[in-house]
Amino acid sequence: MASVMELLDCPLCDFAVLPADDYLLQLHFEQVHTEDSPFVVKDDPEPLPPFASSSNCKHAQDATSSDNEEKTVACPESDCGELVLLDDFNDHLDLHAAETLSFDDTARKYHSHHSSTSMQKSAATHHSHKRSSKAVSSDYRYDTESLDGSKISSNNGRTKKRHRRERRGTSSSEKSTLSRSILTFNPFKHDKLVKPPNKSARLGKSELGPYAWEERMPKWLHDQLEAGAKITVVNRIGRDGRLIKQEQVQNETPGVLPILAQLSALDRTVKEAYYCHPSTLHVGKTPKEGSFCGYRNIQMLISYIQGAKAQGHEEFPGRLPGILTIQELIETAWDRGINHIGRTQTGGIKGTRKYIGTPEAQALFLSTEINCAVEMFSDQDTSKGRIQAHDSLLLAVERYFTQAAVSDGSSVHKTLLPPIYLQRPGHSITIVGFERRSDNYCNLVVLDPVYVTSPAMHKLIGRKNIKSARPEVLHAYRRGPSHLRKFAAFEILMLTATPPLFPVWDV
């Protein structure tokens, strides 16, 4: 007699799923029975097959009111190809200015092809610190009063007021890839009004980007991604004086982490800093490719796995897998039942420019038997007051690095930990370090796939005895609370296998 498989039932309605689809039950509860959930997909189009016909695509887009509310503008940089949210536009251009930064040997100063107010402010902050140890820019404010009960966000006993600004991720038009986050809520807590069910779990442009409904990316872009980044061979003189032929990949920059660690040590405003394994590459975009940030961040984590020979490195022999290969790996993970709701939500990603998020990164790593964990941060009201998402994020990242820090008398701790995949509304980046500038101020140190490595950084790579601080160079890699507090939700993915023990920092 055949055994009957027990179903998982929703406690508030007749909805039921197989035990293997518990994530689908969580999604159902959040979308149907939670009144103000950030995961609710409002004004969904009518259900479509996984790959909608081109004749239906425009109709579906027009029918999605939340999609029409998204306000974006094309980046004016010719090689960028990004559609940038208006809220992020100034920061986006500022970081484009940072990627053109170069050092003028004659004038002995840095300059950029674009004006950059933030870079000037970063440099001014560094120089003003020389004049007064109390002069620290408010760009690096870190308020943990609500988190640990101590009031560290005040100067001279007076608590500073926070800047009031619109926060990304707080309205239905600003949902982002966090809308299909790995849910960490308890779906069986029900103290909110019941809502009618949504028609479909299929997501739209607000979550998947401007090409949410495309069947296939343009042929020229597919061919470009299939061909991969350009590779050139250069001749270098080795330590033994012999000529060495070295390959350089167009959008990959090795050796960034050792330079960032030196620059943090030279910055007098940095009290303590932590960095991940130095084999992590900075992987950026190729010209005009648009937004594939999720894939590029996955590549950066894989570069650590390859360089450190960490868990799962046998799965990625040779060069980094390309975007098209990563799409196949994610689809294969879905075939195996890992986070397979992603196929329903996206309609499939193979050969498209749809945005991906933390669930897709997690699916890829789990399918290759690489241990990983996801943690989510959002604004919360507690008995001590309101805890903002960025404060919780900064505290968690600091905890992550301090667990592996070994004291050697230096203010910069060089760990062997993996980098961290960070998802925020509309974009993802890779966390490679953490700086505490004082008891009140700190930064994440990140590699952003949208931007290429500047000439100024290229000039420093390989040096082991940098003598003077370079706040202008560090600016492109720092993300402080003034930037992070714009967002109401974050998610991080961490590789959790024990890191290899090898003194790579000294090699």
Side-chain angles (χ1 to χ4, degrees), residues 14 70 82 124 142 221 224 273 375 411 498:
D14 295 332
E70 199 74 62
E82 294 270 351
Y142 180 31
L221 180 56
Q224 177 177 310
E375 189 172 355
S411 62
T498 302

Side-chain angles (χ1 to χ4, degrees), residues 317-328:
R319 303 190 189 282
L320 288 175
I323 288 174
L324 301 180
T325 300
I326 291 175
Q327 288 182 337
E328 291 178 355

Side-chain angles (χ1 to χ4, degrees), residues 155-372:
N155 289 331
N156 300 324
R158 295 190 303 272
T159 303
K160 298 274 188 178
K161 290 184 179 180
R162 284 190 173 278
H163 295 290
R164 295 179 181 270
R165 66 181 75 189
E166 196 69 27
R167 290 162 63 75
R168 290 295 317 286
T170 57
S171 71
S172 62
S173 65
E174 294 175 335
K175 284 192 301 288
S176 89
T177 50
L178 286 183
S179 293
R180 53 187 207 285
S181 159
I182 305 297
L183 304 184
T184 56
F185 62 87
N186 182 348
F188 301 105
K189 290 181 180 178
H190 48 278
D191 55 357
K192 299 181 180 179
L193 297 177
V194 175
K195 296 183 65 179
N198 283 39
K199 296 179 180 179
S200 171
R202 179 68 162 86
L203 302 180
K205 290 169 64 177
S206 296
E207 301 81 22
L208 305 176
Y211 306 105
W213 304 99
E214 78 173 359
E215 295 182 25
R216 192 169 302 279
M217 69 179 72
K219 186 177 185 303
W220 68 266
L221 180 56
H222 187 278
D223 291 345
Q224 177 177 310
L225 296 178
E226 190 172 43
K230 294 179 181 178
I231 300 174
T232 57
V233 179
V234 297
N235 294 324
R236 296 192 180 279
I237 303 297
R239 293 182 180 179
D240 58 359
R242 296 182 180 181
L243 191 66
I244 300 174
K245 291 186 179 295
Q246 189 176 65
E247 289 186 341
Q248 291 183 341
V249 183
Q250 177 188 21
N251 66 330
E252 298 176 12
T253 310
V256 173
L257 271 295
I259 302 304
L260 293 176
Q262 289 184 71
L263 297 185
S264 287
L266 290 165
D267 189 333
R268 295 183 183 180
T269 70
V270 175
K271 304 303 180 184
E272 204 162 23
Y274 306 85
Y275 281 93
C276 73
H277 197 287
S279 67
T280 307
L281 302 177
H282 184 184
V283 183
K285 62 166 60 178
T286 54
K288 298 181 173 61
E289 75 174 34
S291 184
F292 287 102
C293 60
Y295 299 97
R296 296 304 186 191
N297 288 301
I298 289 173
Q299 288 178 318
M300 286 194 251
L301 266 62
I302 293 174
S303 75
Y304 152 79
I305 292 171
Q306 292 178 324
K309 297 194 182 304
Q311 181 190 47
H313 69 91
E314 304 89 352
E315 299 291 332
F316 304 104
R319 303 190 189 282
L320 288 175
I323 288 174
L324 301 180
T325 300
I326 291 175
Q327 288 182 337
E328 291 178 355
L329 290 173
I330 293 170
E331 294 263 4
T332 299
W334 289 342
D335 291 340
R336 296 174 57 187
I338 303 174
N339 294 355
H340 58 91
I341 185 66
R343 176 171 282 135
T344 302
Q345 293 177 329
T346 64
I349 60 172
K350 190 172 180 179
T352 75
R353 290 172 285 181
K354 299 169 188 175
Y355 293 172
I356 63 170
T358 319
E360 285 70 48
Q362 187 191 46
L364 182 148
F365 289 118
L366 291 181
S367 70
T368 49
E369 299 185 358
I370 296 173
N371 299 337
C372 62

